[in-house]
Amino acid sequence: GSFFGNILGFETTIAFTLETASLGILVFGWGKVPRVIHFLANLGVLVGASLSAFWIVVANSWMQMPRGIHMEGTKIIVDDYAAAIFNPYSIVSFAHMWVACIESTLFLMAGICAWALLRNHKDGAFFLRAFKYVLVLMIAVTPLQVVIGDMSGLIIAKHQPEKLAAAELHWDTNPAGEGAAWHVLAWPNASGTGNAFELSVPDGLSLLLTRSTDGSVRGLNDFPADERPS
């Protein structure tokens, strides 16, 4: 409550209010407000939704990597709001989510334009021009999302190695000179000490996390049982 509740309060008062008010003008003001106001309402939705995503992701990222606090018994005391808000995971996590929203919107717009063109819509020239713009943006944004996703993985590997090992079902630290495999598909065994089944890319996890085919990646069995993600 001391931090998480405050951040969600910021989201409601700062972002959600702007977003919903702008969306109301955008949807119900069509043909009723000047074009400049309608355009500003578009920007209001963009800014409001982006701020909303920022505060929500900050709250989630802080739960993953809490900073700027100390505990007094069971109560959380915030010492540094800046450190708590801009924790190691928040900015990359927000960028990953924000670009994902942009990417999803672009694919939706491309689908609508393609559907209209296939049906020989009377405004075909408009939809063709829009499709070309969207396609260019898709080509630029999609690789960017891959890069940001890679950065997110590197941050988790640095600050939460046990979480990364659990997520990748990587149980044993790879010996020196050997790479850690990246499990594309795996199923843990009943004892929870390894995988009963795995489909893997040799040296893939080492390459992703260390940029080397034989880089060391700590396995989940190296962590005490009470420190492993459940």
Side-chain angles (χ1 to χ4, degrees):
S2 300
F3 179 79
F4 190 86
N6 291 351
I7 295 303
L8 291 188
F10 292 162
E11 189 275 331
T12 301
T13 56
I14 297 174
F16 189 70
T17 303
L18 172 62
E19 182 182 359
T20 52
S22 300
L23 186 62
I25 297 173
L26 179 66
V27 174
F28 300 109
W30 189 276
K32 299 181 177 65
V33 298
R35 294 185 66 181
V36 64
I37 299 300
H38 201 262
F39 175 73
L40 291 175
N42 273 277
L43 295 182
V45 172
L46 171 64
V47 173
S50 299
L51 284 173
S52 182
F54 174 76
W55 289 119
I56 291 173
V57 169
V58 162
N60 180 271
S61 299
W62 178 81
M63 289 194 296
Q64 309 301 319
M65 299 182 188
R67 296 293 188 276
I69 63 165
H70 74 273
M71 301 291 295
E72 291 185 3
T74 59
K75 187 177 182 181
I76 293 173
I77 305 299
V78 181
D79 302 309
D80 187 341
Y81 261 94
I85 291 172
F86 299 104
N87 60 73
Y89 196 46
S90 62
I91 298 303
V92 170
S93 185
F94 167 67
H96 196 40
M97 174 56 67
W98 193 83
V99 174
C101 294
I102 298 298
E103 186 178 11
S104 299
T105 303
L106 290 173
F107 274 91
L108 175 63
M109 293 172 64
I112 293 172
C113 291
W115 179 82
L117 291 172
L118 287 172
R119 293 178 62 88
N120 296 315
H121 195 279
K122 61 183 179 66
D123 294 322
F126 166 79
F127 284 107
L128 179 61
R129 185 168 66 253
F131 183 79
K132 291 178 180 179
Y133 289 144
V134 169
L135 187 62
V136 170
L137 291 172
M138 287 165 57
I139 293 172
V141 168
T142 302
L144 177 62
Q145 178 71 321
V146 175
V147 172
I148 297 173
D150 179 66
M151 293 171 59
S152 178
L154 294 176
I155 289 175
I156 293 174
K158 177 180 178 181
H159 295 279
Q160 295 179 304
E162 63 272 54
K163 178 179 178 179
L164 179 104
E168 299 295 340
L169 286 179
H170 175 61
W171 296 93
D172 298 309
T173 303
N174 51 301
E178 297 182 18
W182 175 42
H183 304 313
V184 179
L185 183 64
W187 189 266
N189 59 29
S191 62
T193 57
N195 293 327
F197 166 80
E198 57 190 33
L199 178 64
S200 307
V201 177
D203 306 333
L205 192 60
S206 291
L207 187 61
L208 286 171
L209 298 178
T210 69
R211 302 301 192 257
S212 169
T213 56
D214 60 355
S216 179
V217 182
R218 193 175 177 186
L220 195 58
N221 287 328
D222 282 3
F223 296 94
D226 61 350
E227 294 182 9
R228 299 177 191 174
S230 57

